[in-house]
Amino acid sequence: MIIPYLKGIIGFRLAPVTWCLVFLNALVMVMTMQTNELAQQNLEKQFDDEFYVSTQGRLYAQFIKAHPEDYSGFMSKLADMAKQGSEEKVTLLGSLAIRNTKFMNEAASYSFKGDQIAIQYWREKLIGIKKVQQIHPSYALGLSSQNFSIKQMFSYIFVHSGLVHFAGNMLFLIIFGGMVEPVIGGLATLLVFLVSGVVAALGFTVMTGETAAPLVGASGAVSGMMALMCCIYRNYPVRFVYWLFLPFKTYSGFVFLPAWVILGMWLASDVAGWLGTLSEIGGVAYSAHLGGELAGVFVGLGIYMLRFNSRESLFPREEVRPRVGEIQSFHEYRPSA
Amino acid sequence: MVYRDVTRSNHSDDPRKDGGAKLSNLAAPGDRLAAAIIDISVILAPLVLLVSSPFQLLFVRSLLLNQEVEFLLSVTAIATVVLILTVSYMTMMNSLVGGTLGKLVFGLRVLGIWDQKKLSVPAAFFRSLTWLLSLAFALLPFLAVLSDNKRRPWHDRIADSIVVSVNKANFGSPNVFEKMFVQSVLGSVAALVLVSSMAIGPTVWNGILDSGLLPFGDSKFASYCDEVDYAMDEWPRVETVSEEKRLNIVLTLFAAGEVSKSCLEKEAQKFIDVKSSENATAYLAQAFVHSENPELSNQYLSKVCDLSPESSSCTMSKVVEDWSDSKWSSVEAHFASFVEHTPLHISVWALRHFIERREFAKAEDFLNKLASQPSLANFLAQQRVRILAGTGRDRELNAVAVTAIESLSSEGRLRVAEKMCDFHSKADSCAGTKSQPCQLLKKESLGDHSILVSAGTAIQVARVIACEDDEEDYKKLLALLPMQESHDYAVAVKAKLEGRVNEARGEFERLARLPDVSSKMRKQVEVELLLLLESADELYASVEDWRQEEPDLDWGVRGEALLENATRSGDYDQAMKIAELLIDERFRKTSILRPYVYSLLQSKKMKEAQTLLQSEWGVAQLVDAGKSPRRGLASELPGQSDLDTHMEKLMKHYRSGVAL
């Protein structure tokens, strides 16, 4: 396993704007934590109701077959299987329905056929779910087809779906921001962060299409910071943590590799993820990562061409420039001030 | 052919000559493993993920859509991508550079063992193919790194190659511990493969197929219930609209407890989906399906009559509504309104209702309507046993039980055996537990403990065990009871049988206080405690409490216990008062007649005793005792000798103090 470490967790003095962004994200996380938890529990409780989920699945199948022009062949086939009686597909459609903008917008007033008691029960539950979504931070502040505005394109960056999501994004924000901010300055870092986030949102909207499931998280913006860092440093050897799953000293430590390796790895996995994921099923928003990376690359190129004449002027003066492939054990590492 | 052992090096000590390595510097196994990890995680995995991503999409789609061909295609494509990328990478790097990226990082080189040069392209190609093949053999061929003298696994032998280290000193040939480790691993794997392929291979494979781990074990959609499919063939004479036939069948099977709620739900839902419209019978079914959500269930029930006010489904929905409110007279009025062509599921509910209410004659009418349905055989046998036991028709009961136990399925047999064991053990205490039904119940339950989860079965088996003569057998059987409450009940009953009344009472009282005890066990324990009341004051107080309670079935059972206790303890006045309250048709049973007649006799009320024995109820008892054939109740008056014999039996029964 290999993870970029770069200069590690850099101090506030060297990257104040980066740290402020982290604190802002943390503040939003803390302020929305309780509401998030309650709303999420409420939503999960609704989806524990098998009758609601199966009714929703059947109605979604009916809706898909009634609007074939709006759904892919895959969804049409799923609907067919659900109508033929596959309980597994009915349940799957029941959980996917909530991601579909058209269904969520139109189903409440659509004239469905069949068990009217079940349909009425489902409508009442749906009203309840929509009310919960209005107060759920991910839906209220996240970006989706139903919630698409300039404000959402910024607010989604600061909302996370959970602690792990938040921690992962913030760790890499500090790591990449800590490399970028000393070079380009605080204001530029802030602009890059926000612009990457907006471009990530646009990338998500264009490449994923309409979805009622909200986009949340700073990973698009962080991808932009990462791409910018790779453009600035390019061949400069930066520190990676490696661990080869063997319990001996030489099989874990730091290794110095060119910065562009990070962009290569990230880009490859995001492209692979985007190509290999069904948009109807959702999951990680690879398209947002790609949008952010694109923004970061453009900004990086722009900064490079407009601002600096030589690469050496980008870097703080270091006594010893590491070599590519150089290995450093954990106890030899001394963090920079 | 003699070959030079090129590992005994004649070459210079400069590690940078001859491809950069001394052949005597065998690469450390750890370095080789680390190099492989780097190759896989840094180069191969990202490349494979990227290139195979369209096929991954196809893989996911085919899994979700149960498309076998596309699934196999996607798996084949992904495997091909893995093969091509891995082989290309390793071939190119080994032949052009002398090692993959990982090996280069760790200062390892792959050289020809004869000429110490970089491998040729064909050799590198076969080496990489064999490397991949080793993965398919669960990495076992790689163990040769720890056992071969030159640390050369398959892929090195095929290509005549050897992996050496540029930077480090000679790691050396494997030592004895490494070789022993490899031998033990290979030996264990061989034994495991042999055992599993012979003994459990087919079972495991079928288990994997059935578990759903593979996507295509059974692609048939389970939209219908198998039980209904079978019943459709046996049920040709259902007199309903044909398109509702399945629905009526599943409603009937559900009413009889032969199918689960999920089966009913599937059938009802499928019916609604196919029709794409509302249907009264389907809504009735949905009302049963959602019985645990009263609000939703009531919505379905009220809609049934909106859709079809004159239908039998509407009447049945009213039955359900009144049943939940315990409006029994309304329920019976609804059942009575079905004069002809009562739908079978309604007949089943009516049968159950009348049995619960001890209206055995009416129950028998409905039973006879259902008698021709083979799918209901288990259920009907059980209900017939209850009717015969309730009306005291012992001879018929024994005959039915024998036939049922021989002909029914295992579940039906168990249900009948449980009822019969209850009947025998109550009639004749421990002697009754030696009867065929009790012994069958004991044998089946100790073979399959899962049936002891049912409190009714557990109670019967506990009684049977408590009556075991042999102490060792008793302890052995006791230990096999899975649930603590049945274990404790058996211990208490044993104490009671052995005359340790105080101990038995203490055990029953403790059991009654436990919070987790099932309701059936709790009711049984209450009855046991009533049977163990010793003083007249306690009995009087219990009877007074009992008289204030609302008469229902449990009240009737407790009354029987009080009657039994009063009769045995000689408080005949009390016994007669209790019996008079219980004489209501709903509670009339053999277990009331006997102590009542005995108490009348002891109180010298011979005329009242005779009147009772000459009543329809009493005559039925004599007929079933085998005294005379049944020729019609009106002409059946027992002669004095019949009465004497019957009374003698009664006296003997009570004097012997037979318990339970």
Side-chain angles (χ1 to χ4, degrees), chain A residues 70-333:
Chain A
D70 293 313
Y71 292 93
S72 63
F74 167 72
M75 290 305 286
S76 186
K77 280 185 191 150
L78 264 188
D80 284 333
M81 293 168 84
K83 284 174 89 70
Q84 281 163 22
S86 168
E87 283 302 316
E88 195 197 326
K89 306 308 173 204
V90 164
T91 308
L92 177 61
L93 280 177
S95 52
L96 292 181
I98 205 153
R99 302 178 57 86
N100 185 254
T101 310
K102 188 172 173 68
F103 180 77
M104 291 301 283
N105 284 344
E106 295 178 25
S109 53
Y110 187 78
S111 204
F112 289 106
K113 292 181 193 160
D115 187 341
Q116 296 304 311
I117 305 283
I119 292 167
Q120 185 55 33
Y121 179 84
W122 168 80
R123 285 199 211 283
E124 285 162 14
K125 281 274 187 176
L126 191 66
I127 291 170
I129 285 176
K130 284 185 173 176
K131 278 188 186 150
V132 172
Q133 283 179 346
Q134 279 168 4
I135 58 163
H136 195 303
S138 293
Y139 286 89
L141 299 173
L143 184 80
S144 63
S145 311
Q146 289 164 314
N147 227 355
F148 190 86
S149 66
I150 302 289
K151 175 198 146 213
Q152 307 300 128
M153 288 174 99
F154 287 96
S155 65
Y156 90 91
I157 300 170
F158 300 95
V159 181
H160 292 84
S161 60
L163 211 53
V164 172
H165 186 205
F166 167 79
N169 278 339
M170 292 306 104
L171 177 66
F172 285 115
L173 177 58
I174 293 172
I175 288 173
F176 297 129
M179 293 289 282
V180 162
E181 190 173 339
V183 175
I184 65 171
L187 183 61
T189 303
L190 177 65
L191 286 172
V192 165
F193 182 82
L194 294 174
V195 166
S196 300
V198 170
V199 175
L202 289 171
F204 172 77
T205 308
V206 167
M207 288 195 272
T208 303
E210 280 199 347
T211 174
L215 172 70
V216 294
S219 45
V222 171
S223 297
M225 299 283 275
M226 177 273 298
L228 174 62
M229 190 280 300
C230 293
C231 289
I232 291 173
Y233 286 86
R234 296 198 304 282
N235 290 330
Y236 194 88
V238 293
R239 198 178 271 110
F240 287 73
V241 172
Y242 75 94
W243 180 46
L244 294 172
F245 306 104
L246 293 166
F248 303 111
K249 206 165 60 172
T250 50
Y251 300 122
S252 64
F254 294 110
V255 63
F256 287 87
L257 295 171
W260 59 260
V261 166
I262 302 173
L263 184 59
M265 277 166 49
W266 237 263
L267 206 58
S269 73
D270 285 336
V271 170
W274 177 60
L275 287 175
T277 306
L278 275 169
S279 57
E280 292 93 344
I281 306 292
V284 176
Y286 294 106
S287 48
H289 293 180
L290 289 170
E293 281 153 17
L294 190 69
V297 165
F298 272 117
V299 171
L301 286 175
I303 287 175
Y304 178 71
M305 286 189 296
L306 293 173
R307 199 177 146 181
F308 300 103
N309 294 325
S310 71
R311 220 169 43 226
E312 280 67 28
S313 65
L314 290 174
F315 307 124
R317 212 159 52 95
E318 286 191 24
E319 289 181 12
V320 178
R321 178 177 164 140
R323 286 182 299 113
V324 172
E326 184 183 326
I327 305 270
Q328 188 182 54
S329 64
F330 287 130
H331 66 263
E332 286 170 357
Y333 169 59

Side-chain angles (χ1 to χ4, degrees), chain A residues 58 89 115-116 244 251, chain B residues 30-31 64 269 283 286 300:
Chain A
R58 291 193 168 83
K89 306 308 173 204
D115 187 341
Q116 296 304 311
L244 294 172
Y251 300 122
Chain B
D31 284 355
L64 289 175
Q269 193 57 63
Y283 275 9
Q286 291 283 58
Y300 277 113

